[in-house]
Amino acid sequence: MSAHTPVVSIAYHSGFGHTAVVAEAVRAGAADAGATVHLIKVDEIDDAQWELLDASDAIVFGSPTYMGTASGAFHVFAEATSKRWFGDAWQDKLAAGFTNSASKSGDKLHTLQYFQTLAAQHGMNWVNLGLKPGWNSSTASENDLNRLGFFSGAAAQSNSDQGVEAVHKADIATAEHLGRRVADTARVFLAGRAAVTA
């Protein structure tokens, strides 16, 4: 294993399975970029998984958007991170986020901003999506990356009357892109720290 292999943890909640599909896509993208990746369900988190988060170079937050914000289960997890906040355990780590809702917009931006605020309170450095918007011209397609036009993180839309198999392929690909971007950014940060201390 390289000295600069990043460790990325994805801390997420999924109410009906759709957001879990997005989380898996983020995992696949980060792994494809060479990161060691941990998927952590925040509503089932145990002491060993808290330690995985503490040892990670980057933490990606994920949740469905319910009533204009992250799910209640994610909020419980976020409040529990206060123990880490008191000890600066996540200071200077990287952070990113993703969300899903049934509506094309569905106030997903508010959930992503909630994740950004949580990361900022911990002194983390936010990694944005890094994609131009897709599906915004007459020649564009709903199959474009970032088809919903979010910049802060990866946003997905899943019809409320369909199961997890209906999560849009473009949204899955966008989440994979986010995972790769987080892993690549973490690798740069790790190499920079190694160079500074050398």
Side-chain angles (χ1 to χ4, degrees):
M1 183 178 290
S2 165
H4 300 311
T5 299
V7 178
V8 177
S9 286
I10 301 164
Y12 75 99
H13 173 247
S14 183
F16 299 98
H18 303 88
T19 307
V21 171
V22 183
E24 176 56 36
V26 175
R27 185 212 62 77
D32 183 61
T36 298
V37 190
H38 305 289
L39 277 174
I40 297 172
K41 297 179 180 179
V42 299
D43 53 332
E44 300 175 4
I45 193 167
D46 59 27
D47 289 342
Q49 291 173 321
W50 278 111
E51 291 175 6
L52 284 176
L53 291 175
D54 294 345
S56 298
D57 301 301
I59 302 173
V60 184
F61 302 124
S63 168
T65 294
Y66 292 156
M67 302 306 293
T69 187
S71 65
F74 190 91
H75 277 267
V76 169
F77 161 77
E79 289 184 23
T81 69
S82 63
K83 293 179 181 177
R84 271 64 196 168
W85 179 83
F86 279 110
D88 294 327
W90 295 356
Q91 180 81 27
D92 296 327
K93 292 184 186 296
L94 298 179
F98 62 91
T99 188
N100 173 79
S101 72
S103 298
K104 296 294 189 290
S105 174
D107 289 327
K108 285 189 274 278
L109 177 59
H110 186 261
T111 300
L112 293 172
Q113 289 173 330
Y114 170 71
F115 293 154
Q116 286 179 306
T117 299
L118 175 63
Q121 288 191 339
H122 281 284
M124 303 170 81
N125 299 291
W126 189 258
V127 179
N128 60 50
L129 185 58
L131 284 174
K132 297 288 194 298
W135 202 20
N136 65 354
S137 72
S138 61
T139 58
S141 162
E142 69 172 298
N143 297 310
D144 293 342
L145 288 179
N146 196 20
R147 70 187 182 110
L148 300 177
F150 286 80
F151 295 89
S152 299
Q157 181 269 333
S158 304
N159 292 332
S160 61
D161 59 347
Q162 291 183 291
V164 298
E165 71 283 351
V167 178
H168 202 287
K169 287 180 172 51
D171 297 341
I172 291 172
T174 299
E176 290 173 350
H177 169 87
L178 178 66
R180 285 190 294 272
R181 181 168 168 83
V182 169
D184 289 342
T185 303
R187 183 173 288 104
V188 170
F189 266 60
L190 287 170
R193 286 174 183 160
V196 167
T197 58

